[in-house]
Amino acid sequence: MSTDNLPKKMDRRRLIKNGMQLTLGLSLVSIAGWSAFKSTSDRLVWQLDPFKCVQCGRCAKECVMTPSAVKCVHAFNLCGYCDLCGGYLKPDPNARTTAAENQLCPTAAIKRKYIEDPYFEYEIDEALCIGCAKCVAGCTSFGNGSLHLQVRHDRCKNCNECAIARVCPAEAFQRVPISSPYLIKGGFTKGKNG
Amino acid sequence: MRGLGKYLYQSESIVKLLKRFGFLLMMLFVTAQSFALDAQQRFPKPEFATGYAQPATTSPSPRFLLLEYLDIFVLLAALSVVTWFVLKKRSRKGVFWTSVFSLLYFGFYREGCICSIGAIQNMVLGVVDNTYKIPLTAFVFFLLPLVFSLFFGRTFCAGVCPLGAIQDIIVIKPIELPKWLQKVLGLIPYLYLGLAVLFVATKSEFIICRYDPFVGLFRFDAPFHMMMLGILFLATGLFVARPYCRFFCPYGVLLGWMSRFSSNHMTITPAACIQCKLCANSCPFGAINEPVVETGKRHSNVNRMITYFILLPLWTGIGGLAGSMVHVPLSHYNKTVYLAEQLIEHPELKDDQKNIDIRTFLTSGKTTTQLIAEADAIRHQFYIGGWLLGGFMGFVIGTGLIRLSAFRRRDDWETDKTNCLSCARCMEFCPVKRDEDGKITINER
């Protein structure tokens, strides 16, 4: 190959390179334009629908956090303040007391407080709660269902795809806008929000 | 007292509702509905005789949206700074410290989320899912490094990506892998990218995030096997520089395409190359190309290249066929398909009280026929996706062969723009220096 062909060849290379750069640039611009229509300035966070939840216990195991960022919350407005609480006490307890042997919660995260005869208040200690949903199952089957699980956003890392959502058997996990990040029972009802 | 408490509670919710909806009708409707809900309760809330104050159900708020925008700002700033260090200052030290900052901010402070590599999946989900809106941060994190790469090369990899930074810091004693091995391993990112897109497109899962080996290290918390994978990558990284970036990173594929045609990519030398070969071994990533002159007869070279061009559709077809053949095992990773398969192959599982997924399905009210129809539809998506993925891989291999057969005359030592991570190591080795005034000096040691 003679050397006087070289500049011409270099020009061809440059033309291809610039053409490709322009093509790629235009495709990026079109992606940007399309995304502008598809994107939202509101960020999305993960939350679980307590009405879909089947209390399988996977929230405790599958979260990338140890302990899980899913905790039990108590909708006090829905609570019956029962003495015989299906969420607090084991089935057929020896006595209705705060003794560890009677408690359903494996970490004793529910605090039982006497209010007045015959009513008791139940409060969750989130530092102890592991999100196993044992109490939720008890409360839902025998009580009002005021105990239920929620993703706690002060702990959740908001993974791109929630590790629990991937294995949730009831497809209860969904992305919700950051402006209304909770689906707490009472305010959130089955009929209203689907 | 009791009545007042209740009244206060109600009026508080009324104020809230007024703020939310702004009109009375809706408010009345919702209140009526909540009364209806109360009526359904098994044990109605008691009316307390003592002055019991009910605690509020707390709802701790997520990270402020403003901080998300701060992430975008930090990304833009870090990209600009590192590009300035690479192209203007030609300073390895500057690049290094920028990458340390990025490791601390995007890695340990933001705990690896959000990242540009994972943002690929959000973009794909935006395409396939009409109800999904791409968060602004994900969209910017996906696009901005690509734009920078199109103009300045992969400076994102050099000093902004936390996954790159954690590996770059520990490059202690890099060994050079044989060229053929580099080429073969270099195909993995294409496959990984294709699989990631396929799994999102079928709404199965986000594999890039699930198998991110370093996010567990950033969080000091991960399942044991993921922690081991991260440590394994780092241990390998002591000798094989940045193994994840070079042989796995799916985003690197896209960055490579951009960088290949970038107009202001960094150069090893600031002026004319003096052919000293000092840079030859400086690159731990094998991204510096030697000068080449055409060998053999031009006629036969051209013929070979034409043959490979003709074979390109064949490769694509073979790849597509292979891809379509593995669509069944691939579709196992989809939850719906897996459940349907379980029910068909092991009908006895219907009586298994411990199988949570099947129990939940049986109580959901959906029929097995519906489930199988759904699974069939998803498997068909995998079939189409398998053709596309396989065809893509065949095409990548075919173009790789064309590139290997093509002789591209190169007079100087140059960076391979596709694979160069713009880390600026080679610049330190180049004896040609340009000072502040633009004066060129040759450092003779």
Side-chain angles (χ1 to χ4, degrees), chain A residues 58 77 116 121 144 157 182, chain B residues 9 43 50 52 60 111 357:
Chain A
R58 285 185 185 163
N77 264 333
E116 63 184 56
E121 181 200 274
N144 290 346
K157 296 288 173 205
Y182 286 93
Chain B
Y9 168 74
F43 308 101
T50 52
Y52 165 67
E111 299 186 314
D357 296 279

